[in-house]
Amino acid sequence: MSDLLAARSQMAMSLAFHIIFAVIGIGMPVLMVLAERRWQRTREPVYLELAKRWAKGTAILFAVGAVSGTVLSFELGLLWPGFMEFAGPIIGMPFSLEGFAFFMEAIFLGIYLYGWDRISEKAHLRAGILVALSGVLSGIFVVIANAWMNAPTGFTMVNGVPTDINPLKALQTPAAFSQTLHMTLAAFTSTGFGAAGVHALMLLRDATNRFHRRGLEIALTLAIPAALLQPLSGHHSAQHVAEHQPVKLAAMEALFETQAGAPLLIGGWPDEATGTVRYGIELPKVLSFMAFNDPTAVVRGLNEVPEADRPNVLLTHLSFQLMVALGSFMALVALVALWRMWRRDDLTHHRWFLRATVAAAPMGFIATEAGWMVTELGRQPWVVHGVLRTADAVTPMPGLVVPFLAFTALYILLAIATAWLLWRQILMAPAEAEWHRVHVPRGRPVVEGVRG
Amino acid sequence: MAEWPLVELTAAAMVVSMAAYVLFGGADFGGGVWDLFARGPRAARQRALIADTIGPIWEANHVWLILVVVILFTGFPIAYARLSTALHIPLTLMLIGIVLRGSAFTFRAYDSRADDVQQRWSRLFAISSLVTPVLLGIAAGTVVAGGAAPPGRLSFHAAYIAPWTAPLPILVGLMTLTIFAFLAAVYLTVEAREADLATDFRRRAIASGIALTLLALATLWVARTAAPRLWEGLLLRPETRLIHVATALSSLGAFGALLGRRYRTARTFAALMAALIIVGWALVQYPYLVPPDLTVHEAAAPPITLALLVGALGVGGVILFPALWYLYRVFGPREG
Ligand code: HDD
Ligand code: HEM
Ligand code: HEM
């Protein structure tokens, strides 16, 4: 394994690990707060139990997110000193703002978790809201930094040196809006369906458990709107990519030749050596329409750039297909849920619906990983699009395969420990008898929201 | 130069964050050390006090380190690139320690069953709390000794191993560990609500304070030949001498207060001492950020970046300090 490949793999592995916890750190506080608010309104103890159980899970996952994030802040320099020397002065701003968002998140999470009986109920809920807000903000700031790598602004290159640096302009990179919106929705979709899936699984075993019924309800309130908006936001992202990063779009779509009225490719296995795609279905003109709102628009193909400047087409294309497929499935589940709820149907009696929700539980996370593969692999060979090559940014330190393997082993162990702990402490905790008292006869509509 | 106060302001913000990390985050590591050395009939109560004290606040305290890194790479990108290249190995080891400490502590706190698994988390938490500060100190000591030079054409060993395995960095590593342990012990005398527990930590504070004094003297002795600049700066420059006298006085103050069981006073002096050590280090190195050759001015980002960074830190501080105050007030030792 070359040092460059080891560095890329270590970065990819560390980020892929961190993003799971980051996503949960953005989404879970919202669920926690929703449950606590309902508890304060209704005084149904089941909501308090939910808020507490979710908070416990958040605490465990947040700690892993915090330490893996710390690793990332150092890895940016340990692996890519050339990148940071270049990018630090331009894009350091969002990172420093992110630092304050971390502070707020950590401070108020500490207060939330340990402060149940130390501060007033109102102050406690307020602390929860601040955790949720700063979680969203920290995600937004760091994704702006990434958006800048995709569409760099705020400097001019003169003889290979950035001059005329303007960090405020860098913050306004055109990719910022589409990426931060899409990422925030991704966090809500993933956590929403993740939690909904766990409660759905429990309901499949015991449809009368009120704890899990309420859990499913709240998780779906977050998941449904996010999952419905996500394809729209993704479409917006894709139009942005089409305009600013044509090579990435060509790789996503495995479009080798520039053409007018380009087809949208569904499935398919691109072969870079021959520049062809096998086993795919082509929908004529649809790509041109999706990308530029014009069925005859010219879409640029990979043939426009030398081979050395192309990303890995196979991985980028497959990742993109995977994300879109999973996103479509989750949007469909959300639609069904919405329709059933509108019909005042009791979702828990539709075992096929519960099964679909269980299936959706890991999908948001997988789609998030796949989406990041599209963004990051599709940007190669550049670390800063069109300006700095990944190969020129890597550290001169040799033997990088050693830290790569060390961190991989560490993270595998950590993942196992975390999963096991969540299982033992949160899922396997004894169910309170009280949550079973209300039995809902099969098929009768449940009037949710009516208390007492 | 018109930009000079900006560069200095940015550097000062970094030094303040570093001092805050030592005072708060460092003490959390020190707590882990005392978990490892919990002994005697009250060992279980000592551990419980440590866990209760660290629990709600360690994640917030930890963010100071991230702030240091962020200021470094935004404000002094060349220095960040150089340090993270030269110190690749000790920093990587330190990160592994940070990961293990934080996750083991949390896993232990939330794994409510008191069985062997919990014991194992406990052990891992305590050992990584012991090792991580040493590695952090080694990295700082390498910088002080001028070991973070560009790798150039040096051999792997000469560029990436030899600089941080020298006696001076190792002594600074041990000193860092001792400072953290000393701070933790002093803070815990205040946190303890029972006199016997406070006495346990008083004894530990005095012992680690003595160890710290001895290590500081040893470091100074080694620095005379290993880092003549440091030696000179520490003893011969008039502007730094004042700081060192103040450091020495505050450590005496801390000792005196401990002996007299005035724990709150001891805490103030101990924190002052630790902060002065960091400030003193910064002044001794000034104008160099990465000795022997990279100054803060050479490493600094363009003025517009620094101005925005300082502005962001100022605005951030306005939000941050009340929030931190609230956190410590909610979880501080209950008065009365
Ligand atoms: C729950 C997760 C999730 C779901 C369901 C989707 N995405 Fe996505 N997608 C992400 C999670 C994600 C992501 C991980 O969050 C990315 C990576 C970088 C980013 O900004 O968002 C991303 C990136 C990303 C990009 C690349 C942006 C760039 O490189 O600048 C495009 C074009 C799309 N997405 C398009 C879509 C479409 C058309 C979807 C239709 C269903 C879709 N995404 C569903
Ligand atoms: C290069 C990329 C990244 C770096 C350097 C980084 C850095 C960090 C750091 C240092 C922390 C710890 C903060 C603490 O102690 O509380 C953290 C946590 C966090 N990060 Fe990242 N991060 C990166 C990517 C991301 C991405 C892509 C997202 C999501 C959109 C994200 C969202 C979060 C969130 C929400 C937290 C809070 C802790 C948690 O809930 O796990 N980060 N990150
Ligand atoms: C958390 C979600 C993210 C994931 C899963 C992710 C994934 C990846 C992957 C797979 C690579 C390797 C690409 C390759 O070399 O082929 C990579 C590289 C990199 N990423 Fe990301 N990324 C994420 C977010 C970010 C963010 C927010 C930043 C910066 C602020 C960032 C900065 C980098 C850098 C500097 C590299 C190395 C240079 C390069 O390979 O282009 N990433 N990331």
Coordinates of all heavy atoms in Angstrom, one line a residue, chain B residues 80-153:
Chain B
Y80 N 1.3 24.7 12.1 CA 0.5 23.5 12.2 C 1.0 22.4 11.3 O 1.2 21.3 11.7 CB -1.0 23.9 11.9 CG -1.9 22.7 11.9 CD1 -2.2 22.1 13.1 CD2 -2.5 22.2 10.8 CE1 -3.1 21.0 13.2 CE2 -3.4 21.1 10.8 CZ -3.7 20.5 12.0 OH -4.6 19.5 12.0
A81 N 1.3 22.8 10.1 CA 1.7 21.8 9.1 C 3.1 21.2 9.6 O 3.3 20.0 9.6 CB 1.9 22.4 7.7
R82 N 3.9 22.1 10.1 CA 5.2 21.6 10.5 C 5.2 20.7 11.7 O 5.8 19.7 11.8 CB 6.2 22.8 10.7 CG 7.5 22.3 10.3 CD 8.7 22.9 11.0 NE 9.2 24.0 10.3 CZ 10.1 24.8 10.9 NH1 10.4 24.5 12.2 NH2 10.6 25.8 10.3
L83 N 4.4 21.2 12.7 CA 4.3 20.4 13.9 C 3.7 19.1 13.7 O 4.1 18.1 14.2 CB 3.5 21.2 15.0 CG 4.1 22.5 15.5 CD1 3.2 23.2 16.5 CD2 5.4 22.1 16.3
S84 N 2.6 19.1 12.9 CA 2.0 17.8 12.8 C 2.8 16.8 11.9 O 2.5 15.6 11.9 CB 0.5 17.9 12.3 OG 0.4 18.8 11.3
T85 N 3.7 17.4 11.1 CA 4.6 16.4 10.4 C 5.7 15.9 11.3 O 5.9 14.7 11.5 CB 5.3 17.2 9.2 OG1 4.2 17.8 8.4 CG2 6.1 16.2 8.4
A86 N 6.4 16.8 12.0 CA 7.5 16.4 12.9 C 7.0 15.5 14.0 O 7.7 14.6 14.5 CB 8.3 17.6 13.3
L87 N 5.8 15.9 14.6 CA 5.4 15.2 15.8 C 4.4 14.1 15.5 O 3.5 13.7 16.3 CB 4.8 16.2 16.8 CG 5.7 17.3 17.2 CD1 5.0 18.3 18.0 CD2 6.8 16.7 18.0
H88 N 4.4 13.6 14.2 CA 3.4 12.6 13.8 C 3.2 11.5 14.8 O 2.1 11.2 15.2 CB 3.8 12.1 12.4 CG 2.7 11.3 11.8 ND1 2.0 11.7 10.7 CD2 2.1 10.1 12.1 CE1 1.1 10.9 10.3 NE2 1.1 9.9 11.2
I89 N 4.3 10.9 15.2 CA 4.2 9.7 16.0 C 3.7 10.0 17.4 O 2.7 9.4 17.8 CB 5.5 8.9 16.0 CG1 5.8 8.5 14.6 CG2 5.5 7.7 16.9 CD1 7.2 7.9 14.3
P90 N 4.3 10.9 18.2 CA 3.8 11.2 19.5 C 2.3 11.7 19.5 O 1.5 11.3 20.3 CB 4.7 12.2 20.1 CG 5.5 12.8 19.0 CD 5.6 11.7 17.9
L91 N 2.0 12.5 18.5 CA 0.6 13.0 18.4 C -0.4 11.8 18.1 O -1.5 11.8 18.7 CB 0.5 14.1 17.4 CG 1.1 15.4 17.7 CD1 0.9 16.4 16.6 CD2 0.5 16.0 19.0
T92 N 0.0 10.9 17.2 CA -0.8 9.8 16.9 C -1.1 9.0 18.2 O -2.2 8.6 18.5 CB -0.2 8.9 15.8 OG1 -0.1 9.7 14.6 CG2 -1.1 7.7 15.5
L93 N 0.0 8.7 18.9 CA -0.1 7.9 20.1 C -1.0 8.7 21.1 O -1.9 8.0 21.8 CB 1.3 7.7 20.8 CG 2.2 6.8 19.9 CD1 3.6 6.7 20.5 CD2 1.6 5.4 19.8
M94 N -0.8 10.0 21.2 CA -1.7 10.7 22.1 C -3.1 10.6 21.7 O -4.0 10.5 22.6 CB -1.2 12.2 22.1 CG -2.0 13.1 23.0 SD -1.7 14.8 22.7 CE -2.8 15.2 21.3
L95 N -3.4 10.7 20.4 CA -4.8 10.6 20.0 C -5.4 9.3 20.4 O -6.6 9.2 20.8 CB -4.9 10.7 18.5 CG -4.7 12.1 17.9 CD1 -4.7 12.1 16.4 CD2 -5.8 13.0 18.5
I96 N -4.6 8.2 20.3 CA -5.2 6.9 20.7 C -5.5 6.9 22.2 O -6.6 6.5 22.6 CB -4.1 5.8 20.3 CG1 -4.0 5.7 18.8 CG2 -4.6 4.4 21.0 CD1 -2.9 4.7 18.4
G97 N -4.6 7.6 22.9 CA -4.9 7.8 24.4 C -6.2 8.5 24.6 O -7.0 8.2 25.5
I98 N -6.4 9.6 23.8 CA -7.6 10.5 24.0 C -8.8 9.7 23.7 O -9.8 9.7 24.4 CB -7.5 11.7 23.1 CG1 -6.4 12.7 23.7 CG2 -8.8 12.4 23.0 CD1 -6.3 14.0 22.9
V99 N -8.8 8.9 22.6 CA -9.9 8.1 22.3 C -10.2 7.1 23.4 O -11.4 6.9 23.8 CB -9.6 7.3 20.9 CG1 -10.7 6.3 20.7 CG2 -9.6 8.3 19.8
L100 N -9.2 6.4 23.9 CA -9.4 5.3 24.9 C -9.9 5.9 26.2 O -10.9 5.4 26.8 CB -8.2 4.5 25.1 CG -7.8 3.6 23.9 CD1 -6.4 2.9 24.2 CD2 -8.8 2.6 23.6
R101 N -9.3 7.1 26.6 CA -9.7 7.7 27.8 C -11.2 8.1 27.8 O -12.0 7.7 28.6 CB -8.9 8.9 28.1 CG -8.9 9.5 29.5 CD -10.0 10.4 29.8 NE -10.1 11.5 28.9 CZ -10.2 12.8 29.2 NH1 -10.2 13.1 30.5 NH2 -10.4 13.8 28.4
G102 N -11.6 8.8 26.7 CA -12.9 9.3 26.7 C -14.0 8.2 26.6 O -15.0 8.2 27.3
S103 N -13.7 7.3 25.7 CA -14.7 6.3 25.5 C -14.8 5.3 26.7 O -15.9 5.0 27.2 CB -14.6 5.5 24.2 OG -13.3 5.4 23.8
A104 N -13.6 5.0 27.3 CA -13.7 4.1 28.4 C -14.4 4.7 29.6 O -15.2 4.1 30.3 CB -12.3 3.7 28.8
F105 N -14.2 6.0 29.8 CA -14.8 6.7 30.9 C -16.4 6.7 30.7 O -17.1 6.4 31.6 CB -14.4 8.2 31.0 CG -15.0 8.9 32.1 CD1 -14.7 8.7 33.4 CD2 -16.1 9.8 31.8 CE1 -15.4 9.4 34.4 CE2 -16.7 10.5 32.8 CZ -16.3 10.3 34.1
T106 N -16.8 7.0 29.5 CA -18.2 7.0 29.2 C -18.8 5.6 29.3 O -19.9 5.4 29.9 CB -18.5 7.6 27.8 OG1 -17.8 8.8 27.8 CG2 -20.0 7.8 27.6
F107 N -18.1 4.6 28.8 CA -18.7 3.2 28.8 C -18.8 2.8 30.3 O -19.7 2.1 30.6 CB -17.7 2.3 28.1 CG -17.7 2.5 26.6 CD1 -16.8 1.8 25.8 CD2 -18.6 3.4 26.0 CE1 -16.8 2.0 24.4 CE2 -18.6 3.6 24.6 CZ -17.7 2.9 23.8
R108 N -17.8 3.2 31.1 CA -17.9 2.8 32.5 C -19.1 3.4 33.1 O -19.8 2.8 33.9 CB -16.6 3.2 33.2 CG -16.6 2.8 34.6 CD -15.4 3.2 35.3 NE -15.3 4.7 35.5 CZ -14.5 5.3 36.4 NH1 -13.6 4.5 37.1 NH2 -14.5 6.6 36.6
A109 N -19.3 4.7 32.9 CA -20.3 5.5 33.5 C -21.7 4.9 33.2 O -22.6 4.9 34.0 CB -20.3 6.9 33.1
Y110 N -21.8 4.4 31.9 CA -23.2 4.0 31.5 C -23.4 2.5 31.5 O -24.4 2.0 31.3 CB -23.5 4.5 30.1 CG -23.8 6.0 30.2 CD1 -22.9 6.9 30.1 CD2 -25.1 6.3 30.5 CE1 -23.2 8.3 30.2 CE2 -25.4 7.7 30.7 CZ -24.5 8.6 30.5 OH -24.8 9.9 30.7
D111 N -22.3 1.8 31.8 CA -22.4 0.3 32.0 C -22.7 0.1 33.5 O -21.8 0.0 34.3 CB -21.1 -0.3 31.6 CG -21.4 -1.7 31.1 OD1 -22.5 -2.2 31.4 OD2 -20.5 -2.3 30.5
S112 N -24.0 0.1 33.8 CA -24.3 0.2 35.2 C -24.0 -1.1 36.0 O -24.1 -1.1 37.2 CB -25.7 0.6 35.4 OG -26.6 -0.2 34.6
R113 N -23.8 -2.2 35.3 CA -23.6 -3.4 36.0 C -22.1 -3.5 36.5 O -21.2 -3.4 35.8 CB -23.8 -4.6 35.1 CG -25.1 -4.5 34.5 CD -25.4 -5.6 33.5 NE -26.5 -5.3 32.7 CZ -27.1 -6.2 31.9 NH1 -26.7 -7.4 31.8 NH2 -28.2 -5.8 31.2
A114 N -22.0 -3.7 37.8 CA -20.7 -3.7 38.4 C -20.1 -5.1 38.3 O -20.2 -5.9 39.2 CB -20.7 -3.3 39.9
D115 N -19.5 -5.4 37.1 CA -18.9 -6.7 36.9 C -17.5 -6.5 36.3 O -17.0 -5.4 36.3 CB -19.8 -7.6 36.0 CG -20.1 -6.9 34.7 OD1 -19.4 -5.9 34.4 OD2 -21.1 -7.4 34.0
D116 N -16.9 -7.6 35.9 CA -15.5 -7.5 35.4 C -15.4 -6.6 34.2 O -14.4 -5.9 34.0 CB -14.9 -8.8 34.9 CG -15.4 -10.0 35.4 OD1 -16.0 -9.9 36.5 OD2 -15.3 -11.1 34.7
V117 N -16.5 -6.5 33.4 CA -16.4 -5.7 32.2 C -16.2 -4.2 32.6 O -15.4 -3.5 32.1 CB -17.7 -5.8 31.4 CG1 -17.5 -5.0 30.1 CG2 -18.0 -7.2 31.1
Q118 N -16.9 -3.9 33.7 CA -16.8 -2.5 34.1 C -15.4 -2.2 34.7 O -14.9 -1.2 34.5 CB -17.9 -2.3 35.2 CG -18.6 -1.0 34.9 CD -19.2 -0.4 36.1 OE1 -19.0 -0.9 37.2 NE2 -19.8 0.7 35.9
Q119 N -14.9 -3.2 35.4 CA -13.6 -3.1 35.9 C -12.6 -2.9 34.8 O -11.7 -2.1 34.9 CB -13.2 -4.5 36.5 CG -13.9 -4.7 37.9 CD -13.1 -4.0 38.9 OE1 -11.9 -4.1 39.0 NE2 -13.8 -3.3 39.8
R120 N -12.8 -3.6 33.7 CA -11.9 -3.4 32.6 C -12.0 -2.0 32.0 O -10.9 -1.4 31.7 CB -12.2 -4.5 31.5 CG -10.9 -5.3 31.2 CD -11.3 -6.5 30.3 NE -12.0 -7.5 31.0 CZ -12.9 -8.3 30.4 NH1 -13.1 -8.2 29.1 NH2 -13.5 -9.3 31.0
W121 N -13.2 -1.4 31.8 CA -13.3 -0.1 31.4 C -12.6 0.9 32.3 O -11.9 1.8 31.9 CB -14.7 0.4 31.3 CG -15.6 -0.2 30.2 CD1 -16.8 -0.7 30.4 CD2 -15.2 -0.5 28.9 NE1 -17.3 -1.2 29.2 CE2 -16.3 -1.1 28.3 CE3 -14.1 -0.2 28.1 CZ2 -16.3 -1.5 26.9 CZ3 -14.1 -0.6 26.8 CH2 -15.2 -1.2 26.2
S122 N -12.7 0.6 33.6 CA -12.1 1.4 34.6 C -10.6 1.5 34.5 O -10.0 2.5 34.5 CB -12.5 0.8 36.0 OG -12.7 1.8 36.9
R123 N -10.1 0.3 34.3 CA -8.6 0.2 34.2 C -8.1 0.9 32.9 O -7.2 1.7 33.0 CB -8.3 -1.3 34.1 CG -6.9 -1.8 34.3 CD -6.1 -1.1 35.3 NE -6.5 -1.3 36.7 CZ -6.0 -2.2 37.4 NH1 -5.1 -3.1 37.0 NH2 -6.4 -2.4 38.7
L124 N -8.8 0.7 31.8 CA -8.5 1.4 30.6 C -8.5 2.9 30.7 O -7.6 3.6 30.3 CB -9.4 0.9 29.5 CG -9.0 1.2 28.1 CD1 -7.7 0.6 27.7 CD2 -10.1 0.7 27.1
F125 N -9.6 3.4 31.4 CA -9.7 4.8 31.6 C -8.5 5.3 32.4 O -7.9 6.3 32.0 CB -11.0 5.1 32.3 CG -11.1 6.4 33.1 CD1 -11.1 7.6 32.4 CD2 -11.1 6.4 34.5 CE1 -11.1 8.8 33.0 CE2 -11.2 7.6 35.1 CZ -11.2 8.8 34.4
A126 N -8.2 4.6 33.5 CA -7.1 5.1 34.3 C -5.8 5.1 33.6 O -5.0 6.0 33.7 CB -7.1 4.3 35.6
I127 N -5.5 4.0 32.9 CA -4.2 3.9 32.3 C -4.1 4.9 31.2 O -3.0 5.6 31.0 CB -4.0 2.4 31.8 CG1 -3.8 1.5 33.0 CG2 -2.7 2.4 30.9 CD1 -3.7 0.1 32.6
S128 N -5.1 5.1 30.4 CA -5.0 6.1 29.3 C -4.9 7.5 29.9 O -4.3 8.4 29.3 CB -6.1 5.9 28.3 OG -7.3 5.8 28.9
S129 N -5.5 7.7 31.0 CA -5.4 9.0 31.7 C -3.9 9.3 32.1 O -3.5 10.4 32.2 CB -6.2 9.1 32.9 OG -7.6 9.0 32.6
L130 N -3.2 8.2 32.4 CA -1.8 8.3 32.8 C -0.9 8.6 31.6 O 0.0 9.4 31.7 CB -1.4 7.0 33.6 CG 0.0 7.0 34.1 CD1 0.0 7.7 35.5 CD2 0.5 5.6 34.3
V131 N -1.1 7.8 30.5 CA -0.2 7.9 29.4 C -0.4 9.1 28.5 O 0.6 9.7 28.1 CB -0.4 6.6 28.6 CG1 0.5 6.6 27.4 CG2 -0.1 5.4 29.5
T132 N -1.7 9.5 28.3 CA -1.9 10.6 27.4 C -1.2 11.9 27.7 O -0.6 12.5 26.9 CB -3.4 10.8 27.2 OG1 -4.0 9.5 27.0 CG2 -3.8 11.7 26.1
P133 N -1.3 12.4 29.0 CA -0.6 13.6 29.3 C 0.9 13.5 29.1 O 1.5 14.5 28.7 CB -0.9 13.8 30.8 CG -2.1 13.0 31.1 CD -2.1 11.8 30.2
V134 N 1.5 12.4 29.3 CA 2.9 12.3 29.1 C 3.2 12.5 27.6 O 4.1 13.2 27.3 CB 3.4 10.8 29.5 CG1 4.9 10.7 29.2 CG2 3.2 10.6 31.0
L135 N 2.4 11.9 26.7 CA 2.6 12.1 25.3 C 2.4 13.6 24.9 O 3.1 14.1 24.1 CB 1.7 11.2 24.5 CG 2.1 9.7 24.7 CD1 1.0 8.8 24.3 CD2 3.3 9.4 23.8
L136 N 1.3 14.2 25.5 CA 1.1 15.6 25.2 C 2.3 16.4 25.6 O 2.8 17.3 24.8 CB -0.1 16.1 26.0 CG -0.5 17.5 25.8 CD1 -1.0 17.8 24.4 CD2 -1.6 17.9 26.8
G137 N 2.8 16.1 26.8 CA 4.0 16.9 27.3 C 5.2 16.6 26.4 O 6.0 17.5 26.2
I138 N 5.4 15.4 26.0 CA 6.5 15.0 25.1 C 6.4 15.9 23.8 O 7.4 16.4 23.4 CB 6.5 13.5 24.8 CG1 7.0 12.7 26.0 CG2 7.4 13.2 23.5 CD1 7.1 11.2 25.8
A139 N 5.2 16.0 23.3 CA 5.1 16.8 22.0 C 5.5 18.2 22.3 O 6.3 18.8 21.6 CB 3.7 16.7 21.5
A140 N 5.0 18.8 23.5 CA 5.4 20.2 23.8 C 6.9 20.3 24.1 O 7.5 21.2 23.6 CB 4.6 20.6 25.0
G141 N 7.4 19.3 24.8 CA 8.8 19.3 25.1 C 9.7 19.3 23.8 O 10.8 19.9 23.7
T142 N 9.2 18.5 22.8 CA 10.0 18.5 21.6 C 10.0 19.9 20.9 O 11.1 20.3 20.4 CB 9.3 17.5 20.6 OG1 9.1 16.3 21.3 CG2 10.2 17.1 19.4
V143 N 8.9 20.5 21.0 CA 8.9 21.9 20.4 C 9.9 22.8 21.1 O 10.7 23.5 20.5 CB 7.4 22.5 20.5 CG1 7.4 23.9 20.0 CG2 6.5 21.6 19.7
V144 N 9.8 22.8 22.4 CA 10.7 23.6 23.2 C 12.1 23.3 22.9 O 12.9 24.2 22.7 CB 10.5 23.3 24.7 CG1 11.5 24.0 25.6 CG2 9.1 23.7 25.2
A145 N 12.5 22.0 22.7 CA 13.9 21.7 22.5 C 14.3 21.9 21.1 O 15.4 21.6 20.7 CB 14.1 20.2 22.8
G146 N 13.4 22.5 20.2 CA 13.7 22.8 18.9 C 13.8 21.5 18.0 O 14.4 21.5 17.0
G147 N 13.1 20.5 18.4 CA 13.1 19.2 17.7 C 12.1 19.1 16.5 O 12.1 18.2 15.8
A148 N 11.2 20.1 16.4 CA 10.2 20.1 15.4 C 10.7 20.8 14.1 O 10.1 21.7 13.6 CB 8.9 20.7 15.9
A149 N 11.9 20.4 13.6 CA 12.4 21.0 12.4 C 11.8 20.3 11.2 O 11.3 19.2 11.3 CB 13.9 20.9 12.4
P150 N 11.9 20.9 10.0 CA 11.4 20.2 8.8 C 12.2 18.9 8.6 O 13.4 18.9 8.9 CB 11.6 21.2 7.7 CG 12.0 22.5 8.3 CD 12.4 22.2 9.7
P151 N 11.6 17.9 8.1 CA 12.3 16.6 8.0 C 13.4 16.6 7.0 O 14.4 15.9 7.2 CB 11.2 15.6 7.5 CG 10.1 16.4 6.9 CD 10.2 17.7 7.7
G152 N 13.4 17.5 6.0 CA 14.5 17.6 5.0 C 15.0 16.2 4.5 O 14.2 15.4 4.2
R153 N 16.3 16.0 4.6 CA 16.8 14.8 4.1 C 17.3 13.9 5.2 O 18.0 13.0 5.0 CB 18.0 15.1 3.1 CG 17.6 15.9 2.0 CD 18.9 16.5 1.3 NE 18.6 16.7 -0.1 CZ 18.7 15.7 -1.0 NH1 19.1 14.5 -0.7 NH2 18.5 16.0 -2.3

